Amino acid sequence: MFGFFRKKKDKDTENESVDGKGKGRVIVLKKTKPGMCGGTDATQDTRAPKEILSREMTLFDVTSALGSLPRDSELTLDEEIGFVSAFAAQAGDNTFLFLEKGDGFRRYAEKTSSWALVRGNVFPELVTLVNDCRIAANNGFHSTTHGLPENFGGSIDIRYASGERISISDNQSPLIGPVTGYKIAKLFERLLGGEKAVLPDVSLLSEIRFEEERKAGSFTHATLKFLPDGTGVNHKKSCYDSANVYESEKTVDAETVGKIKKNIADNGLLAWAELPSNGYNSGEKKKLTFVFESGEEIIVSGDKKTPDQLRSAFFAIELEMTTKH
């Protein structure tokens, strides 16, 4: 996730240079020697714009440690934040928002998070924020220091309808300062308090269908039907590289059913349906279909662009339906 490197034979990097004097698109600033333990790989995309002209943003995904204000700073903040992770993506006529912040960037630092599907388009305010804070100033810089126990920096991925993009990553140092992080957190807190789009009640689910289509015609299909007593029945059908189809059916206890429904609600899975694709093509197509007592269906494919903190929610249901049952 943190670092964007292509093989040297790539057309964009055919003129790359370790001394920063190459004429290609991506300049290699630092490169770890073969077999070396540790070290830093760093590149700079020379064509990455430092000023974005578009006013139509489609994705905002910023995660970074923030550091502290200098001791002699005349600025004061009503809240000191050591880490911020903010995500906004179009979801049809609505916007999916996520915010996590903490008093520090380390794993054990206390963090709070929340998400919401809010009505309307909030991106004009984010465009202004990005421009005012000059977030594109280091656009195109990517650095990975090997051997670090955790990420001490972060990543930035901001996209526009024009095709313009801000892409930055560094796992050693913060990408934005404490003031910019504070502004992001405060804006997202206000936006999260906006009018919410209505999502179906998870308690009214009647079944969940999982489908995975793999190469050469192999597949895994599973249907989990919820029963009136709170339990469920999971029916699975699989085919692996042959004409043989394997079927099984198992009961699912009420505790597990409750955990599945809680996972859906806590991570906003029903709001993922209209989120954009993450752009990755693994050769496998997966989707979850949520079916309600009214007959309404919500389909969520497995390639949705989501906050990292929520991404495992899809896999958790897949695991329950295809491996544990």
Side-chain angles (χ1 to χ4, degrees):
M1 174 180 177
F2 302 106
F4 179 71
F5 307 101
R6 294 182 177 178
K7 295 180 181 178
K8 192 164 184 173
K9 65 181 181 180
D10 191 293
K11 292 181 180 180
D12 286 343
T13 58
E14 59 187 4
N15 294 318
E16 65 186 4
S17 168
V18 295
D19 61 6
K21 297 179 181 179
K23 296 181 181 180
R25 175 175 178 173
V26 178
I27 298 175
V28 176
L29 305 175
K30 295 181 181 179
K31 190 170 185 178
T32 305
K33 295 180 180 179
M36 178 181 176
C37 180
T40 298
D41 292 326
T43 61
Q44 176 66 54
D45 185 340
T46 60
R47 299 183 192 175
K50 302 302 187 288
E51 180 180 353
I52 304 298
L53 301 180
S54 175
R55 301 290 299 180
E56 189 176 350
M57 186 186 294
T58 59
L59 175 73
F60 181 98
D61 190 0
V62 174
T63 296
S64 183
L66 303 178
S68 303
L69 286 171
R71 292 183 178 180
D72 59 352
S73 175
E74 297 181 356
L75 294 173
T76 58
L77 303 176
D78 61 15
E79 179 185 14
E80 288 195 23
I81 303 172
F83 169 88
V84 68
S85 182
F87 176 95
Q90 289 182 327
D93 295 330
N94 304 309
T95 306
F96 187 92
L97 298 171
F98 173 85
L99 172 66
E100 182 177 60
K101 65 176 185 177
D103 55 15
F105 57 87
R106 295 182 180 274
R107 292 190 184 98
Y108 53 76
E110 183 177 352
K111 294 184 176 70
T112 59
S113 64
S114 59
W115 68 269
L117 183 66
V118 299
R119 291 191 179 278
N121 179 5
V122 306
F123 285 105
E125 292 191 73
L126 293 176
V127 169
T128 299
L129 173 74
V130 168
N131 292 342
D132 289 349
C133 294
R134 301 187 66 249
I135 291 179
N138 293 318
N139 194 13
F141 177 77
H142 294 276
S143 176
T144 300
T145 298
H146 305 284
L148 293 181
E150 56 188 290
N151 194 328
F152 299 104
S155 65
I156 294 175
D157 184 7
I158 302 173
R159 305 181 191 186
Y160 298 79
S162 62
E164 293 169 288
R165 182 180 181 185
I166 302 173
S167 179
I168 312 169
S169 65
D170 187 342
N171 69 338
Q172 186 177 31
S173 304
L175 301 181
I176 56 177
V179 175
T180 296
Y182 172 85
K183 290 180 178 180
I184 290 173
K186 292 303 177 183
L187 175 56
F188 268 76
E189 286 174 344
R190 180 168 61 79
L191 295 175
L192 283 162
E195 183 182 0
K196 308 297 189 296
V198 179
L199 292 170
D201 188 341
V202 173
S203 67
L204 300 178
L205 275 170
S206 62
E207 67 179 57
I208 301 175
R209 295 195 293 266
F210 171 80
E211 298 174 58
E212 178 183 11
E213 309 296 335
R214 298 180 290 271
K215 295 179 180 179
S218 64
F219 64 85
T220 297
H221 296 167
T223 299
L224 172 57
K225 293 187 176 182
F226 300 116
L227 303 179
D229 64 358
T231 63
V233 176
N234 190 75
H235 182 267
K236 183 174 68 173
K237 182 185 294 185
S238 301
C239 177
Y240 304 97
D241 302 322
S242 70
N244 297 322
V245 176
Y246 304 91
E247 295 191 55
S248 64
E249 185 170 282
K250 295 183 179 180
T251 59
V252 182
D253 59 71
E255 181 180 1
T256 300
V257 168
K259 289 180 179 178
I260 291 173
K261 290 183 177 181
K262 186 176 187 299
N263 173 39
I264 295 169
D266 288 351
N267 294 287
L269 261 166
L270 299 180
W272 294 15
E274 294 186 280
L275 289 177
S277 168
N278 58 24
Y280 301 130
N281 183 6
S282 63
E284 301 175 347
K285 294 182 179 180
K286 300 180 181 181
K287 68 178 180 179
L288 287 169
T289 301
F290 300 96
V291 184
F292 293 84
E293 295 173 1
S294 64
E296 178 184 2
E297 295 186 357
I298 293 179
I299 299 174
V300 176
S301 59
D303 65 346
K304 294 301 183 181
K305 176 71 173 175
T306 63
D308 288 345
Q309 295 87 337
L310 305 183
R311 189 169 299 158
S312 63
F314 186 104
F315 177 70
I317 296 177
E318 174 188 347
L319 186 66
E320 285 288 352
M321 296 179 64
T322 63
T323 304
K324 294 185 178 181
H325 298 283

